Every structure is written in structure tokens, then in C-alpha cells.
Amino acid sequence: MFTKTDKIPKSSEPLAASHLCRQFSLPQKPKSKGAHGEDKGSGGLKLIGQERALQAIRFAAQTPHSNFNLFVTGQQGFGRHRAVLDILTKEALGKPAPQDWVYVHNFTNPHKPVAISLPSGMAIRFKDAMQTLIDDLANEIPALFEADAYQSKRRALEQEFGEQHEKAFEQLMSDAHDKNLALLRTPMGFMVAATINDQPMKPEDFEALPKKQQALIDKNIRETQDLLEVLLKQIPKREKTHRHSIENLNSTVANEGVENAIKEVNGEFRQIEKLKQYLDDVKADLIENAEQFLTSGPGAHAGAFPVATTKHYSRPEYQRYSVNIMVSNPPQGHSGAPVVTENLPTLANLVGRIEHMSEMGAIFTDFTMIHPGALHRANSGYLVLDVLQILSEPFAWDALKRCLKTKQISIVSAQERLSLFSTTSLEPDPIPLDIRVALVGERIHYYLLSMYDPDFLKLFKIQADFNDEVPITPANIADFAEMGQLIAQKDKLLPLNKSACERLLIEATRMAEDAERLSLNAGKLSDIIREANHLAKIAKASSIDASTIEEAIENAEYRSSRQRELTQEAIERNILLVETSGSAIGQINALSVHQIGEFRFGRPSRVTARVRAGKGEVVDIEREVELGGPLHSKGVMILSAYLSSQYALDVPLSLWASIVFEQSYGGVDGDSASAAELFSVLSALSECPINQSFAVTGSVNQLGEIQTIGGVNEKIEGFFDICDHRGLTGQQGVLIPYSNIKHLALRPRVVKAAKAKKFKIIPIKTINEGISLLTGNTAGKRLETGSYSKNSINDLVEKKLISFADRIRSYSRAVEPVPSANGSKNGKR
Amino acid sequence: MENDKPLVKIVLGATCFADAKVAIDIVEKLARTLELKLRAYLLKEDAALYASALPFARAISPSGTSLEVSDIKMQQAYFADIGFYERALKSLAEQSKVSWTLEERKGNLDGIMEAATSHEAIALFGFNQLQKPRNGIVVLAGEDQDISNFKSLAGTLSSEMNTSIEVLRVETNENNASNMIDLLHKLQTKSPALLIATSEIIRMTSINALLDASRCPLIVYNQFEFAADSG
């Protein structure tokens, strides 16, 4: 099924080409699809090795307990969204369809719209029924009020009222006339004047009258004035009585019309408990405001259509009877629970929003301007969100948590939260929430939220952690190959032949940075297949083969490699000083990895060390100038400890050493250069030159063992490319930690050179192995005498350190102060 | 286009500003379709002045409140009303194409009618109604009188006031006084929004009698009013 040499590589010896890149050999006929019974995501793509994550998603989808919300962790391109949506969609099909929700006008408290739940599919019917009701009333109420029956009753009332007033006034006028009085209208009001022969009586004429007659006129005038006063005071009371009687008549007629019209709506919807109250409120309001149907007739707005077909319900005055559908589902038994993905989870898109309108400079809103959010749409089902998106939207995360905690959706805008909005707004009834939220993110998000948000783990109890890679097993290899084929099928690409699948497997090991594991990054693999398909089509091939895959990988690398080429060019032009031949004391080629976007490349850097007698101090220049990260500093301290514990144990470590990454102007971190740094220090101490044909990568521990590092492939390739450009000598190579052999997945150009013995990759386990290879001298073992074998590197290092100690001791004696008479010491130079 | 409106002269009479305001509102409605030349009067009725001089004189406000009246108080009230009247007319002229004059005048309403006749103008008498009228515009005309000419005036006002027009024909035989008593009685129970009468009708009764019976504004219309006049 797959091949790899069984021969165990030896340390300090160049690796055979078979160890440099794992090769795969698939059977001629691939297994049939789905042979392993693994879950497939939407589009039929197989999810390999994700059983733990899939089980977690299924559990979260099925469990009815609240707060068992899901957090899906894993890297991008690993099919997390696909898997979540696939499983949730399947689970949703088995669940009942959710209820519909509507907002209606609150007749008692208009700024608090009422939320009403209806059986699935009924919201639209209810809305239609209410529209029909208003249309019916708009036609029927005017007809009722125009009917003869109403008009005659109304006329009778008007007549009765008018007659009361007219008769009283007529009587007053008539009596006044009989008493030779006239009623005058003056700027001060009504006045009663005495007349003689229908002409006004002058004051002098009045004075000339006998006292008895004067008194009679006075009495008559006073009586008439009193009567007039009473009559005028009665007018408002009579008008009020008249108004009430008209209102009663209108109410009776309207009641009859409304009762008939609402009968149908009642029949269909009254069995819904919360609608009972609402329909009663609507009826009362319609009766109370029946005149609106008379005063807002269609008039000119009817246009070309007959009045009967006019959509009266859309008129602003009937807005309060409309039904604002927040959630509407197909009738029961048709769909199952909703699965909603919100790609832009702003606060408004999540919990809904209340819009406002401007009219004549004033801002207003009503319940018809409430819009649902993703939580409304996903209620009783599932909501899938990207965690980074929701965390980056102001107030959205807080709102989601609040809704999950309170189990209800309350619409609060950002403006309200910030108290920026002072105009009229609404407080709609909160809608009960029963939802399972699936957040999709990376592990770092999960860990940070766990650490810093006390609510997070209470609300998101289930973690579905997607594997980044799977071990290489025959089953996984077969599934992987099948996944490649399915990607091609799904995207309608050319089929992958056997060699192409094998080449993809190699790439998957490289992506996993492990020759024993396969990366599950389907996104990246899809990109390679799509590019290879493009190339194969240009070449008019019928399938995609290994060479096309190879070309696609190289093209992708080429597009991203401008920075790598600039670095290599700088080395080749000796702007960056890196030797690939000859030897030098205290100088070594270390390797580092640079990442720009998704592209990583390795490059050699010169590391130098200088030593002299001192107080046991190893100066990390990178750290001194704050260009070295903590891990780099740790590496330097470890090598310092190694020196202290390995050499000249009977004397103080009397060394001053400085180590520097030459021409490094950016930061340096990681401890993968610590072995190289130690080698350069040992070279400087032993004064044995290091072969510059080698580059070294690996970290070192206090025992002198070489430990695993990351980016081994890119590091080797980085040094290889420099050597290749200058001309491979067969002496050049890279020393790597022995434990990194299993991570090798080198590009064919390196493997080919190694196979031709033009380039060496040598694994080492210890510092002693490395220094021997680098200097060509034996490292030396400590003999029974306590010293190292003569002239070995270790011997030379120890002797140098002892000599440093002696010098320091001699110097210290030379400057030791002479005791004075009173016991104090004076320094002497 | 404004120049195309026919010019109509109106003499406006009222005994107080409350009545005048009602008349001005009617003028404003007419001014939408006509160019108006307005001669307005605030009439200080002799009877009112005599009555206010009596020791027991009292005035009753439209809301039924009784006020003590004296000569001085009455003069002050007239003075205030003429100010209101003037401001209302100024405001009207700013909004409509109306030229106006305003005078205080002593006498009675028949004197205003005479002024209208002499100026070949329509006479308009304001009347502030205590109650909302139950009917629309009532047109009073002689039995055989051709009313087609001034029906257009009634039509304009009817459409502006959103009300109906009813025409009452009256036998204008001067010897038949009972006709007039019947007419006045009919008007007492009619409660019209506006009364339009021809000068022929007025000759058979008085302005006061018509106003007392109808208790609504009155327009008295002569045949010559709508004749083209360049102003």
C-alpha cells in the first residue's frame, strides 16, 4: 500500500533518498466510494479521521438540554462548516417545524407590540385574513352608514336636536318681540334692547316714561336676559347629549358591520389562545374608530381600479390592524427545523432591528417596522455562526449570550445601548428562544474565550475539535485518495489518476510536516487539484497525473516565492554573507524559516561566536538588543548551562562568549538554532574551524542531546537552493536532529541531489556527533583520568576554559587588596 | 392668470368682530375664484348704543355669561373689535387678491344694504352661529326669478364649504305678507349654513328679520354684481 525503506537510518550518516520523502503506492483499482462508512459532508466529500468531532456535533444537535451549544474548533479548510451544516441539516429534518411568530399592535400600550406564536404556516393566513377584514370593512362600513336605515335614524336625531334649539330660541325671540324687546349682537355679546314701534328706545325716552312702566321694561329685559343666559348655557350640554346619541347610533351600526366582518377571522383563528384577546381588541378598536372608514374613502386614489378592488389595508390609517410576520414556515410536516447560517452576524442581523422613518422632519416607528434577525429565523432549530465574525461585530457577542441566557430574543439596537437615540422607539415583547448555536472557529478562539469569558463554557458546553491530521494507515490512505477523487467529481474536474493521488499523499505528509501523518486540509488540497486540472486541460490531457500535480505545486510556490528569491539573490550577491565552502573558526550556517502569508521558506544565516576569559557569561547579542524572542534566549541559556556542566568542572566557568545572528535585522525566535550556536562556541573555544559546507538545525538540551525542530523541510531546501545555485560539491549538506527524520517530505529536487550524492542530509543525536562532523575532529570522551581524550574537541574546549579560569585567578590575585592595620583591604593594581 | 379673474365688489357688514370674521371667511373662499373689491363696515347699531346706556344694561356672552355694560365699556369693545377686524382684513389681503377699506358706521343693517346697492355691490352680512348648521346653503329667490346668474356664486361657495344648495322660491307679491311670515318661519327651523337672497326678497322684509330668522350669514345679491368691471 505504501512504501518506505525498513532500514533504520544511522545517526551521523547521510540519509538514504528513501528517507527524505515518503513514497506511496496505491493499488491499481481504488476502493468503491464510502467503503469505510465514514461520514460524508455536503457534496459527498469524505471527512477522514474526524469521528470524535462528528460525534460531538451529533450529540449537540440531538440533546434537548439547554446550553449544550456547540463550538467547532479546527483549522480553516478542514471542512468544519461543511460537516456542521451536513449533520445539523440531517438532524433538523427529523424535528418538527417551528411555530410562526408575528408582531401585532398593542391597543393598550402602542409602544409595546405584542408577539404572538401561531402554528406553523398560519402566520401568512392570519395576515391575509386581517387584510381581507380591513378591505371588507372599508367597503361595508361606508355602505352601512350610507344606508337609508342609518341615514333616517341620523336625520331623526339631528332633527330632534335642532328642533330643541330652534324652538327654544324661537320662543325667546317671539316672547321678546311681544314684550317690545329686541335681541342685539354687539362686540360685548348679546344685548336685549327695549323698542317702541319696532325702533330702539332712546335713553331719554326711557327716562320720560313713568316709573311703573320703567320697572316693567326693566323686569321684561331682565327676564329675557335670564332666559337667554339659560338658553346659551344649555347649548354645550345639548350638543354633548346630541354627540353621544350620534356616537351610540354609529357604534350600533359599526358594531353590526364589524361583527359580521370579523366573524370569519374569529372562526379560523379564535381557538389560538393569544389571538382571542387580540381579536377582541381589534373589534373594540374598529367599532370605536368606525368613522375612519367613512373619512378615508378611496377617492381619487382608487385610480383605474374599482373601489372594491382597492387595497385599503395598505393605507396608513389601517396600519395598526396589520400583521408583521417575523417567522413564517411552510405548513406542518413539510420542512423540519430550520438551519440558518448568518455570514454577517451584526447585532441587528442577529437579534433583529426596529427601523425608523422620517416624516415631516420627525422620526417615528411602529410595530410594522420590526425586522427579524437570524435568531428569529433559526428559533427551534440551529444557527451556525463564525466566531471571529461575531466577536468582531460590536455588541453581537454580548447580545447572543444574553439571548441564550435569558432564552428569549429581545431587540435592542446599538444606538439604544449607547444611549445615542432619543426618539420614540418600541419595546416589543421578547420572543421565547429555543435554539442550538454552533460557533465555528479556531482553537485559539476557544481557549481565549474559555479563559476570559466566564459565560462561555456555561453556554457552549460541547466542543467539536477537528483533527488537523491523521496517522498513515491503509484505510486512511484509501479514504484520502477517495477524497481527492470526490473533490474532482464535485467540482467537475478531470479525474485524478493513481500517480496523482500518490503525489497528493506526499503533499499531505509535507503539509502535516510528518511523514507518518496526513494533513486533512481539504481546502489546500482542493486548490492544488483545481490548478492541476487547469494545467491538464491546457495540455489536453484526459486525467490529472503526478507531473501535473507537481507542476501545480511548483507554480503555486513560484507565485508566492518572490521574497524567497530576493533573499537567495542577496546571498548569492554576497550582500548576505553565507559561506557554502571552506571552513572558519566560530562561524556556522544556522537555518531559519520565514512565513509570508501561507508560504514558508527556509534560509541560512551566519551565526558567529567569540570567546575570551570572563565571569561565566554567554552574551546573546540578539537578546541584548531585544531582537531575540524568549525561546531564543532560552536556547542560549541552555547551551550556557551545557558548557558549565560539561567542561572544567573543578574550576569556575571563566568564560565570556558572545553569540550573534549576523545580518539579522528582524526578530529571531525559537530555539532551533541553539545547536548551531553551541557548535560555533565550541569551535571558537577549541579553535577548530567548522566546515562551511554544512548548515545546522536543531535545538540542544542541557545534556547535549539534539532535539526536534519545526520547518525542517523548508530549512533543508533553503540551504540546498543556495548550494545548488553556487554548484553542488557533494560535500554540502544539512545536519538535522535525528528525531526529525520522520518529518522529512522534501521536494524532488533535493531528493534527486541526495540520491546522486551531491547533497547530504545527516541526522545527529548529540552535540558530540555534530561537532565531529562539522570540524572533522573527534569530539572526545572523558577518560577515567577525568580528562578528555587528547586533542579531541572536548579536550581543547576544556583546556581553553581551564586556561581562562587560571587567567582570571591570576588576575584576581594581582588585584586582591592588601590587608591594612585595621583589617580593611586596599586595592592594588 | 390672476388678471383673468372677474372683479366683484362686496360690501361687508357686521355688528361685531365675531360676525365679521364669519363673513371674512366667506370672502376668503370667494377670493379663490374671484378678484374682490371689499368695502367693510363695523356697524354701531343705534339700538345697541341706546341699550348700553340704560342703568340695568347687561350683555350675555355666547357661552351664557352675564356681563355688566356701560357706554364706555361698549365703546371700548367697539374699538377693540375694529382693530381685530382690520387685522383680519389685512391678513386676508396678504393671502388673496382682495382690495379693501374699513369704516365704522352708525345706523342699522339696512343702511349697509343701501350702501351696497349704491356701489353696485354684493352685500354680505356676517353672523356667528351658535350651533353647527344642520343644512347647507339656502337660496331665496322670487318665484319667476332667473337665478342662473347667481347660482354660480352659490355653486362656488357650496363646493368650498362642502355643502348642499337648496333653492326656496317665494312669491314676491308685495301684498302677500303672509308669504313672508311663512318664509321667516321656515328659515327659523331650517338652520342653514348660509343664506343667499336676491335684493327682491330683501325689499319685502328687512335684513334684521332675515338674520334673526335664519341665524346664519347672509348674502344679498343684485343682478349687476357679476357684470364685467375693470375695477
Side-chain angles (χ1 to χ4, degrees):
Chain A
M1 191 86 183
F2 62 101
T3 62
K4 187 176 177 181
T5 178
D6 291 328
K7 194 180 168 188
I8 298 168
K10 286 184 182 172
S11 63
S12 299
E13 287 185 9
L15 288 171
S18 58
H19 286 109
L20 302 184
C21 184
R22 185 166 203 156
Q23 299 299 311
F24 294 84
S25 177
L26 292 167
Q28 283 302 323
K29 287 186 180 176
K31 273 183 191 172
S32 61
K33 288 173 203 169
H36 300 284
E38 289 273 4
D39 280 271
K40 286 182 182 176
S42 55
L45 288 189
K46 185 169 280 188
L47 291 166
I48 308 164
Q50 304 292 10
E51 191 44 44
R52 181 189 8 234
L54 298 179
Q55 195 184 30
I57 298 170
R58 269 187 228 108
F59 173 66
Q62 289 165 355
T63 186
H65 306 295
S66 59
N67 296 340
F68 276 67
N69 294 300
L70 180 68
F71 196 106
V72 183
T73 54
Q75 292 185 37
Q76 280 186 8
F78 282 64
R80 295 163 305 167
H81 283 275
R82 186 159 44 85
V84 169
L85 283 173
D86 189 44
I87 293 173
L88 295 184
T89 306
K90 275 183 198 162
E91 293 294 336
L93 282 173
K95 287 186 142 196
Q99 291 191 310
D100 289 354
W101 280 94
V102 297
Y103 271 115
V104 293
H105 182 65
N106 185 338
F107 290 95
T108 321
N109 209 344
H111 81 283
K112 288 186 170 178
V114 180
I116 296 178
S117 67
L118 299 166
S120 189
M122 207 173 251
I124 288 177
R125 277 166 53 201
F126 180 55
K127 183 175 184 165
D128 288 346
M130 287 302 291
Q131 288 178 350
T132 309
L133 171 69
I134 297 305
D135 277 352
D136 288 350
L137 287 172
N139 287 306
E140 286 167 19
I141 296 276
L144 282 172
F145 280 88
E146 280 160 19
D148 287 346
Y150 170 78
Q151 290 296 337
S152 59
K153 282 179 192 169
R154 175 82 187 249
R155 266 198 301 274
L157 285 172
E158 300 281 1
Q159 194 71 26
E160 186 187 346
F161 168 68
E163 276 175 5
Q164 282 173 0
H165 177 75
E166 301 304 340
K167 272 185 184 166
F169 228 89
E170 198 183 330
Q171 189 61 49
L172 178 83
M173 298 288 280
S174 167
D175 290 352
H177 192 260
D178 292 348
K179 292 172 184 171
N180 289 325
L181 299 176
L183 195 61
L184 305 173
R185 301 164 71 80
T186 73
M188 293 189 75
F190 293 101
M191 285 191 74
V192 181
T195 59
I196 304 171
N197 300 327
D198 284 341
Q199 292 301 312
M201 183 184 284
K202 295 178 184 173
E204 53 268 29
D205 293 340
F206 178 78
E207 291 298 331
L209 290 173
K211 291 286 176 196
K212 201 175 174 185
Q213 204 170 342
Q214 283 184 7
L216 180 66
I217 291 171
D218 182 10
K219 181 176 163 275
N220 286 342
I221 287 178
R222 282 179 197 278
E223 279 173 2
T224 307
Q225 281 173 338
D226 290 345
L227 274 174
L228 180 64
E229 206 175 308
V230 171
L231 191 63
L232 290 172
K233 278 181 178 166
Q234 277 175 349
I235 290 175
K237 286 180 194 166
R238 255 206 306 268
E239 274 183 347
K240 194 175 169 185
T241 312
H242 174 62
R243 206 169 49 244
H244 283 165
S245 57
I246 296 286
E247 278 170 3
N248 285 340
L249 173 66
N250 289 350
S251 174
T252 310
V253 174
N255 190 34
E256 186 190 331
V258 171
E259 191 78 62
N260 282 335
I262 211 167
K263 208 179 278 173
E264 208 172 311
V265 185
N266 268 332
E268 192 175 356
F269 298 99
R270 206 171 170 77
Q271 73 277 13
I272 297 161
E273 193 53 39
K274 215 169 175 186
L275 277 185
K276 259 186 205 171
Q277 182 60 47
Y278 174 68
L279 288 171
D280 287 345
D281 290 347
V282 168
K283 186 179 159 187
D285 191 77
L286 283 169
I287 292 168
E288 195 180 327
N289 298 294
E291 82 282 355
Q292 68 192 322
F293 293 101
L294 305 175
T295 54
S296 60
H301 301 295
F305 296 97
V307 173
T309 61
T310 303
K311 290 177 177 173
H312 298 278
Y313 60 80
S314 60
R315 298 169 73 87
E317 59 265 38
Y318 305 136
Q319 198 80 303
R320 64 180 183 279
Y321 307 116
S322 61
V323 174
N324 182 8
I325 298 179
M326 297 298 281
V327 183
S328 171
N329 296 286
Q332 273 182 335
H334 281 71
S335 63
V339 180
V340 174
T341 303
E342 178 54 64
N343 293 319
L344 183 61
T346 59
L347 175 63
N349 287 354
L350 204 60
V351 301
R353 65 188 190 283
I354 300 167
E355 287 186 344
H356 289 75
M357 271 180 73
S358 169
E359 194 175 277
M360 309 285 284
I363 305 286
F364 76 99
T365 184
D366 64 31
F367 74 99
T368 61
M369 285 187 252
I370 305 173
H371 293 269
L375 287 170
H376 293 98
R377 294 195 303 276
N379 204 353
S380 301
Y382 305 100
L383 175 61
V384 183
L385 298 168
D386 188 285
V387 71
L388 199 56
Q389 284 177 338
I390 193 168
L391 287 174
S392 57
E393 289 295 340
F395 302 115
W397 175 243
D398 187 47
L400 176 68
K401 284 194 302 176
R402 194 177 58 249
C403 290
L404 289 174
K405 271 196 273 190
T406 57
K407 296 188 179 63
Q408 56 187 23
I409 314 165
S410 302
I411 302 176
V412 181
S413 69
Q415 294 95 318
E416 283 174 86
R417 289 288 305 271
L418 294 168
S419 304
L420 291 175
F421 215 52
S422 60
T423 191
T424 317
S425 197
L426 301 174
E427 289 174 39
D429 270 357
I431 289 179
L433 178 68
D434 172 23
I435 201 170
R436 185 60 22 100
V437 176
L439 292 178
V440 181
E442 293 182 22
R443 288 187 190 89
I444 185 71
H445 305 139
Y446 184 84
Y447 300 142
L448 286 172
L449 284 167
S450 306
M451 196 177 298
Y452 293 113
D453 189 339
D455 298 324
F456 174 67
L457 289 176
K458 290 177 199 158
L459 295 172
F460 291 86
K461 291 181 190 290
I462 310 289
Q463 185 191 6
D465 197 0
F466 271 64
N467 280 329
D468 299 343
E469 53 208 34
V470 286
I472 293 178
T473 64
N476 285 344
I477 288 173
D479 286 344
F480 185 91
E482 191 186 333
M483 182 177 78
Q485 293 291 6
L486 288 170
I487 289 171
Q489 277 177 20
K490 180 177 158 265
D491 289 357
K492 297 187 175 138
L493 310 177
L494 292 171
L496 297 165
N497 69 16
K498 178 172 161 290
S499 69
C501 290
E502 289 165 353
R503 181 63 189 85
L504 280 174
L505 280 161
I506 295 169
E507 195 58 20
T509 60
R510 183 179 168 95
M511 277 154 52
E513 285 194 80
D514 195 332
E516 294 172 0
R517 302 182 81 80
L518 293 171
S519 166
L520 296 173
N521 193 335
K524 274 190 183 173
L525 290 168
S526 299
D527 291 346
I528 294 170
I529 295 170
R530 286 188 196 110
E531 185 159 357
N533 174 72
H534 174 72
L535 296 170
K537 280 191 170 169
I538 290 172
K540 298 190 181 342
S542 58
S543 64
I544 300 168
D545 61 12
S547 64
T548 330
I549 296 281
E550 186 66 44
E551 194 183 345
I553 293 166
E554 281 174 5
N555 286 355
E557 270 195 12
Y558 173 72
R559 287 195 297 272
S560 313
S561 63
R562 193 185 72 89
Q563 196 62 41
R564 180 177 70 180
E565 281 175 16
L566 287 175
T567 308
Q568 288 175 354
E569 194 181 291
I571 292 170
E572 280 152 20
R573 292 171 65 200
N574 284 329
I575 295 167
L576 291 175
L577 299 176
V578 173
E579 297 293 338
T580 52
S581 61
S583 57
I585 294 171
Q587 175 180 309
I588 195 166
N589 294 321
L591 295 167
S592 57
V593 173
H594 297 249
Q595 180 154 6
I596 297 164
E598 286 208 326
F599 180 66
R600 301 203 311 167
F601 67 93
R603 59 158 280 199
S605 295
R606 175 181 285 180
V607 170
T608 59
R610 287 290 176 267
V611 294
R612 55 162 286 167
K615 292 181 177 177
E617 190 184 5
V618 176
V619 176
D620 174 12
I621 291 179
E622 308 301 326
R623 187 182 61 188
E624 296 298 314
V625 296
E626 296 181 353
L627 282 174
L631 293 180
H632 182 259
S633 300
K634 181 186 174 190
V636 173
M637 286 176 182
I638 288 170
L639 76 85
S640 176
Y642 172 80
L643 289 172
S644 308
S645 60
Q646 194 72 16
Y647 303 108
L649 301 175
D650 299 332
V651 294
L653 182 64
S654 307
L655 167 72
W656 178 92
S658 68
I659 303 167
V660 66
F661 258 76
E662 303 288 357
Q663 294 182 292
S664 164
Y665 307 111
V668 176
D669 202 8
D671 62 351
S672 70
S674 61
E677 288 165 333
L678 181 53
F679 289 138
S680 65
V681 173
L682 294 177
S683 165
L685 285 168
S686 65
E687 294 179 23
C688 289
I690 286 175
N691 187 346
Q692 300 297 305
S693 303
F694 286 110
V696 178
T697 182
S699 71
V700 65
N701 65 17
Q702 291 193 107
L703 305 174
E705 292 165 333
I706 306 295
Q707 301 170 139
T708 315
I709 47 84
V712 68
N713 294 308
E714 288 83 359
K715 286 174 177 172
I716 293 170
E717 285 158 11
F719 188 63
F720 170 82
D721 288 338
I722 300 295
C723 296
D724 188 29
H725 200 267
R726 286 178 176 173
L728 294 171
T729 60
Q731 299 304 310
Q732 292 144 334
V734 178
L735 305 191
I736 64 166
Y738 187 88
S739 52
N740 273 116
I741 296 172
K742 59 175 77 71
H743 301 140
L744 292 175
L746 291 163
R747 292 288 181 224
R749 62 182 188 277
V750 185
V751 178
K752 194 175 162 189
K755 209 171 190 175
K757 301 201 184 303
K758 288 182 178 173
F759 193 75
K760 295 180 278 195
I761 289 104
I762 304 172
I764 55 171
K765 287 182 178 173
T766 63
I767 285 292
N768 284 346
E769 286 177 9
I771 196 69
S772 296
L773 286 164
L774 290 167
T775 58
N777 196 355
T778 55
K781 286 183 181 173
R782 197 175 283 282
L783 304 172
E784 285 181 356
T785 57
S787 57
Y788 284 103
S789 43
K790 202 172 180 188
N791 290 333
S792 66
I793 300 288
N794 287 335
D795 182 45
L796 294 171
V797 169
E798 188 160 72
K799 280 177 179 163
K800 178 62 70 70
L801 288 173
I802 289 167
S803 75
F804 281 166
D806 288 343
R807 269 189 236 168
I808 293 293
R809 187 166 49 204
S810 328
Y811 178 75
S812 301
R813 279 184 189 149
V815 297
E816 197 173 330
V818 176
S820 64
N822 57 10
S824 65
K825 292 179 179 179
N826 293 315
K828 186 180 176 185
R829 287 186 183 274
Chain B
M1 291 300 284
E2 289 286 315
N3 293 334
D4 295 342
K5 288 180 177 178
L7 178 73
V8 172
K9 291 185 277 185
I10 294 179
V11 168
L12 195 157
T15 56
C16 60
F17 175 67
D19 289 351
K21 181 72 183 75
V22 175
I24 288 169
D25 290 345
I26 292 170
V27 170
E28 191 187 351
K29 289 180 176 68
L30 288 172
R32 287 172 197 158
T33 50
L34 301 170
E35 186 181 342
L36 301 176
K37 194 172 180 181
L38 190 65
R39 190 182 289 266
Y41 294 103
L42 179 67
L43 185 69
K44 287 183 172 178
E45 278 188 296
D46 296 336
L49 296 173
Y50 298 155
S52 62
L54 293 175
F56 43 81
R58 268 196 299 159
I60 317 293
S61 75
S63 60
T65 311
S66 179
L67 306 164
E68 273 187 29
V69 178
S70 66
D71 248 355
I72 296 169
K73 280 183 182 173
M74 185 59 79
Q75 290 298 345
Q76 284 171 341
Y78 274 116
F79 183 74
D81 267 22
I82 196 119
F84 294 136
Y85 204 163
E86 188 175 1
R87 280 197 287 277
L89 288 168
K90 268 184 189 166
S91 167
L92 170 72
E94 280 166 14
Q95 292 162 26
S96 317
K97 192 159 186 183
V98 176
S99 59
W100 60 275
T101 59
L102 174 63
E103 284 175 40
E104 257 185 11
R105 183 187 174 112
K106 283 192 177 182
N108 55 34
L109 291 167
D110 294 321
I112 303 283
M113 185 63 227
E114 281 162 21
T117 310
S118 67
H119 286 100
E120 297 187 343
I122 291 176
L124 169 56
F125 299 96
F127 196 102
N128 184 27
Q129 289 169 290
L130 291 173
Q131 286 196 148
K132 202 178 147 195
R134 283 184 287 117
N135 285 296
I137 297 171
V138 172
V139 176
L140 297 180
E143 204 165 33
D144 304 319
Q145 199 169 3
D146 175 17
I147 58 167
S148 57
N149 198 14
F150 73 87
K151 224 182 168 184
S152 65
L153 173 76
T156 304
L157 288 170
S158 148
S159 108
E160 291 286 346
M161 293 161 78
N162 194 23
T163 187
S164 61
I165 304 174
E166 185 183 355
V167 179
L168 292 181
R169 293 282 184 177
V170 185
E171 202 180 322
T172 50
N173 180 354
E174 283 183 16
N175 298 324
N176 197 349
S178 63
N179 280 349
M180 210 28 73
I181 292 166
D182 287 350
L183 173 69
L184 293 177
H185 185 70
K186 208 179 254 182
L187 287 174
Q188 275 179 340
T189 53
K190 199 82 189 165
S191 182
L194 172 67
L195 187 65
I196 301 178
T198 58
S199 49
E200 208 176 351
I201 300 288
I202 302 300
R203 274 197 291 276
M204 297 176 62
T205 178
S206 68
I207 300 292
N208 260 330
L210 276 178
L211 286 175
D212 281 347
S214 62
R215 288 186 290 281
C216 74
L218 168 67
I219 291 177
V220 183
Y221 185 89
N222 289 306
Q223 290 296 336
F224 45 75
E225 279 83 34
F226 275 162
D229 189 330
S230 59

